[in-house]
Amino acid sequence: MFTHLYEIAQHRAKQWPDAVALGSQEGDTWKTVNSRQLLSLVDGLAEDLKARGLKEGDRVVLWTPSSWRTPVFFFAIWKLGAIIVPFDREMNPEACAKIIQSVEPRFVIVGHDERPPWAQASGAIQWWEPQAATGPVSAWQRPSEELAGIFFTSGTTGNPKGCMISHTNLCSQIAVAPQIIPVDPTCRLASILPLSHLFELTGGLLYALSQGVAIHYIPSRRGPDILRVFQEQKATHMLTVPQMLTMMGRTIDDQLKAKLPGFVYRTLNWLAERTSLPVRRRLFFMIHRKLGGHLVMLISGGAALPPETQRLWEKLGVPVVQGYGSSECSPVVCAGTPDGSTPYGSVGKPIPGVKVKLSPEGELMAKGPNVMRGYWKDPVQTAEVLHDGWYSTGDLASVDKDGNYYITGRVKDLIVLPSGMKVWPTDVEEVLMAEPEVKAAAVMAVKTPAGGAMLHA
């Protein structure tokens, strides 16, 4: 088991030195970096950063796109015992300025073409192409700094909270991941989510690298770019969010309806419902050929996965594994199984090493080596969510007789009517959304003149 994230780069170079580790668009070409090159680039950049004054415990804000360069910067910073503070490209500019003021970074490094006002005000520097180490690299001593990164909430509203995530937190997730999503060096991951998100960082970078998987970064969320990477790099896996899975699935299904005679389309669907996943892949061979012919699994996280979306992809012969968690938990708490045994609508069971329980109010609480150290410079909010090692997720949940958990709503959204009846808005909204005439729905409690309350939609 790894104890420090830099060890992943070392392990990768030793086990699969010539295998492709990373790939991304570089001008008009597709640049790849093998495992040996990755470690050499990391070591070279670490020396460069050290010469520029980066020390153990320093924070480095990174506003960079997903490409082969970004992991090199991450590992080089970690090698020196410094702490990454990754920014999402869409983060609120005011939130960015507040975060920079709070973390007092040694460097603010930007990699996007644009240069927003907050970057100019912070003295940000443009990232550069890392150079491989020249000459022998001195033996590495594990830094004493345990903090690996500070991951802030999106910052779309209010004051973003910074989750302090340690090397131990992330290494604990990597250690158990093979029991959830088994992969090997023959696998190729198409990476589309930002590396500022822990879901992609943990599963799509750290775990994938540790298992010899080749990671290829999709340059945008445009359909042609996704298809090109799937086809050219023969992608086998992808981590994504429900919204994207739904859009992709509907587009594929609509194209099938348009191209196939109605009788053929209905027959394929009828057969798919009665056959195994391998047979479904053959039934819909034309779809798999368009997707490169190698896609074997999709992993969904970040929000609730609509059961109809999961059914659609599995109808095509592609299993979808749903995970549940939060940034505070590095991020995975529960996960489904790739064999299809997890009921639709369930987030599965707790991952190995993580304990969960329901509070008297039905709130899901988690405890384990993945739980954060707290919020950056915010002891008040830390105390609100951490209790004797248990993290209060803020999510209401239920559990079935087999130990599968279901997220039913948010604690703050729970409506208690004067009669004492407890109502979860999402339950009512789902019923309303099932009506074909309803495009969107929101349910809330509105006070009556008599002092009571009634539900309104």
Side-chain angles (χ1 to χ4, degrees):
M1 177 178 174
F2 303 110
T3 62
H4 190 281
L5 299 177
Y6 173 68
E7 294 169 352
I8 295 174
Q10 291 181 309
H11 170 76
R12 173 90 191 205
K14 183 178 180 180
Q15 292 294 114
W16 306 282
D18 298 317
V20 171
L22 305 169
S24 66
Q25 192 77 37
E26 185 91 340
D28 296 329
T29 63
W30 192 263
K31 179 180 175 66
T32 59
V33 175
N34 68 31
S35 307
R36 186 191 296 109
Q37 292 168 333
L38 172 60
L39 181 61
S40 183
L41 288 166
V42 168
D43 290 337
L45 181 58
E47 289 301 312
D48 189 354
L49 290 169
K50 184 178 180 180
R52 292 170 185 250
L54 187 64
K55 304 187 300 295
E56 182 175 344
D58 284 344
R59 276 79 61 195
V60 179
V61 168
L62 290 151
W63 190 62
T64 56
S66 294
S67 82
W68 67 269
R69 287 193 200 183
T70 298
V72 175
F73 274 82
F74 284 5
F75 283 107
I77 291 167
W78 286 327
K79 180 182 180 180
L80 297 176
I83 302 159
I84 65 168
V85 186
F87 275 13
D88 188 280
R89 184 171 188 174
E90 307 302 325
M91 189 177 284
N92 183 308
E94 293 182 3
C96 292
K98 289 180 180 177
I99 293 169
I100 290 171
Q101 184 179 12
S102 174
V103 302
E104 301 176 289
R106 171 72 64 176
F107 298 116
V108 176
I109 300 174
V110 299
H112 296 287
D113 294 333
E114 58 191 293
R115 201 172 178 85
W118 63 262
Q120 297 172 7
S122 66
I125 57 176
Q126 189 72 22
W127 72 347
W128 59 96
E129 182 166 345
Q131 299 300 310
T134 56
V137 177
S138 57
W140 175 71
Q141 296 291 324
R142 189 189 191 283
S144 59
E145 175 60 63
E146 179 60 20
L147 192 58
I150 308 171
F151 297 84
F152 282 83
T153 54
S154 62
T156 52
T157 57
N159 292 318
K161 296 176 292 187
C163 302
M164 295 190 291
I165 304 298
S166 69
H167 288 271
T168 299
N169 290 150
L170 294 169
C171 289
S172 74
Q173 296 261 293
I174 298 165
V176 302
Q179 301 176 54
I180 308 163
I181 307 292
V183 292
D184 59 50
T186 66
C187 299
R188 295 164 298 279
L189 179 81
S191 177
I192 196 168
L193 299 179
L195 284 168
S196 57
H197 294 191
L198 269 166
F199 180 45
E200 186 68 30
L201 176 72
T202 305
L205 175 64
L206 301 177
Y207 172 54
L209 281 180
S210 74
Q211 300 299 304
V213 176
I215 304 167
H216 293 281
Y217 293 102
I218 302 174
S220 79
R221 295 191 180 189
R222 294 174 57 251
D225 281 336
I226 297 173
L227 284 178
R228 178 167 61 88
V229 173
F230 269 64
Q231 292 167 357
E232 294 179 359
Q233 308 306 329
K234 299 179 175 59
T236 59
H237 294 71
M238 183 171 75
L239 277 71
T240 185
V241 292
Q243 182 185 33
M244 184 171 293
L245 270 185
T246 299
M247 291 175 61
M248 289 174 62
R250 286 177 178 173
T251 299
I252 290 171
D253 201 43
D254 289 343
Q255 290 175 351
L256 276 175
K257 287 179 183 178
K259 291 182 178 181
L260 298 176
F263 170 74
V264 175
Y265 174 80
R266 291 191 296 271
T267 301
L268 284 175
N269 279 277
W270 184 87
L271 289 171
E273 292 175 359
R274 293 160 175 78
T275 55
S276 63
L277 283 171
V279 174
R280 295 175 196 176
R281 293 180 66 86
R282 292 196 289 272
L283 287 174
F284 293 97
F285 70 92
M286 69 293 285
I287 296 298
H288 288 275
R289 185 169 56 193
K290 188 174 183 180
L291 293 172
H294 293 80
L295 182 63
V296 296
M297 187 180 297
L298 294 164
I299 302 97
S300 176
L305 176 65
E308 58 271 20
T309 297
Q310 185 171 356
R311 289 191 180 96
L312 194 158
W313 280 101
E314 292 184 353
K315 175 189 77 175
L316 299 173
V318 182
V320 181
V321 176
Q322 180 175 195
Y324 163 78
S326 67
S327 296
E328 289 84 350
C329 294
S330 306
V332 185
V333 173
C334 296
T337 55
D339 63 5
S341 62
T342 303
Y344 288 117
S346 169
V347 296
K349 300 176 181 179
I351 65 173
V354 176
K355 298 178 182 178
V356 301
K357 66 178 181 180
L358 299 180
S359 73
E361 296 74 29
E363 180 181 5
L364 185 66
M365 303 181 73
K367 184 177 186 179
N370 60 324
V371 175
M372 67 171 182
R373 294 170 60 175
Y375 293 122
W376 175 259
K377 291 184 178 180
D378 199 339
V380 174
Q381 291 202 76
T382 297
E384 289 177 359
V385 299
L386 292 181
H387 312 280
D388 297 324
W390 288 93
Y391 167 65
S392 300
T393 65
D395 289 317
L396 295 164
S398 62
V399 58
D400 66 19
K401 60 180 179 62
D402 297 318
N404 294 299
Y405 282 80
Y406 300 77
I407 305 302
T408 57
R410 293 287 293 170
V411 172
K412 293 180 179 178
D413 294 336
L414 178 63
I415 297 172
V416 182
L417 296 174
S419 64
M421 176 182 285
K422 296 180 180 179
V423 179
W424 285 269
T426 51
D427 289 347
V428 185
E429 289 162 1
E430 287 177 2
V431 174
L432 294 172
M433 291 288 287
E435 295 296 324
E437 297 84 0
V438 177
K439 183 177 181 181
V443 172
M444 65 195 75
V446 178
K447 292 183 179 180
T448 63
M454 290 183 63
L455 288 182
H456 283 249

